[in-house]
Amino acid sequence: QVQLVESGGGLVQAGGSLRLSCAASGRGFSSYAMGWFRQAPGKDREFVASITWSGTGKDYADSVKGRFTISRDNAKKTMYLQMNSLKPEDTAVYYCARRIGSTDNPSDYTYWGPGTQVTVSS
């Protein structure tokens, strides 16, 4: 069984930065692609970024390109999301998950963490 736990969320002013972490327990972290998603109140869960098992392949939503950076440390079983130049529209609960399919649709991910709240004030 795999468990994922996000941390690092908080309240930050627009233009600020936060670094989210996703800590994994159990087997298999280093063998799978991972991803970050977010969900704002009243909206669907949306893709933010993904990373291949080796860390060499990365993909980002257009809305965060150039501002967010995804990374992972397989030895520590941890994935990160460095978020810079934050905007009020980045406010959401951020989730990490393990990819089991071939796309960045939420249905191709499993083992979702409980999420961490990110709030960006204007």
Side-chain angles (χ1 to χ4, degrees), residues 6 10 12 19 21 31 37 61-62 69-70 78-79 93-94 104 109 116:
E6 305 90 344
V12 63
R19 189 195 195 201
S21 297
S31 301
F37 290 76
D62 288 343
T69 302
I70 190 171
T78 303
M79 178 178 66
V93 178
Y94 283 71
D104 286 317
Y109 282 78
T116 185

Side-chain angles (χ1 to χ4, degrees), residues 6 20 37-38 48 68 81 83 90 92-95 115-116 118:
E6 305 90 344
L20 305 185
F37 290 76
R38 66 187 182 186
V48 174
F68 291 11
L81 186 68
M83 306 187 296
D90 294 317
V93 178
Y94 283 71
Y95 301 89
T116 185
V118 171

Side-chain angles (χ1 to χ4, degrees), residues 2 5 8 13 17 20 26 33-35 37 39 42 45 52 60 93-94 96 108 110 115:
V2 174
V5 179
Q13 288 189 332
S17 298
L20 305 185
M34 299 287 296
F37 290 76
Q39 188 166 17
R45 191 166 298 189
T52 56
Y60 297 93
V93 178
Y94 283 71
C96 64
D108 273 352
T110 189

Side-chain angles (χ1 to χ4, degrees), residues 4 10 24-25 32 35 53 61 67 85 89 107:
L4 302 174
S25 61
Y32 290 87
W53 68 270
R67 300 188 298 121
S85 302
E89 51 264 43
S107 62

Side-chain angles (χ1 to χ4, degrees), residues 73-113:
D73 184 334
N74 286 341
K76 295 183 178 179
K77 293 186 178 181
T78 303
M79 178 178 66
Y80 305 98
L81 186 68
Q82 178 67 44
M83 306 187 296
N84 298 330
S85 302
L86 282 161
K87 304 175 181 180
E89 51 264 43
D90 294 317
T91 295
V93 178
Y94 283 71
Y95 301 89
C96 64
R98 189 173 88 177
R99 191 164 75 187
I100 56 172
S102 60
T103 74
D104 286 317
N105 189 297
S107 62
D108 273 352
Y109 282 78
T110 189
Y111 296 124
W112 295 87

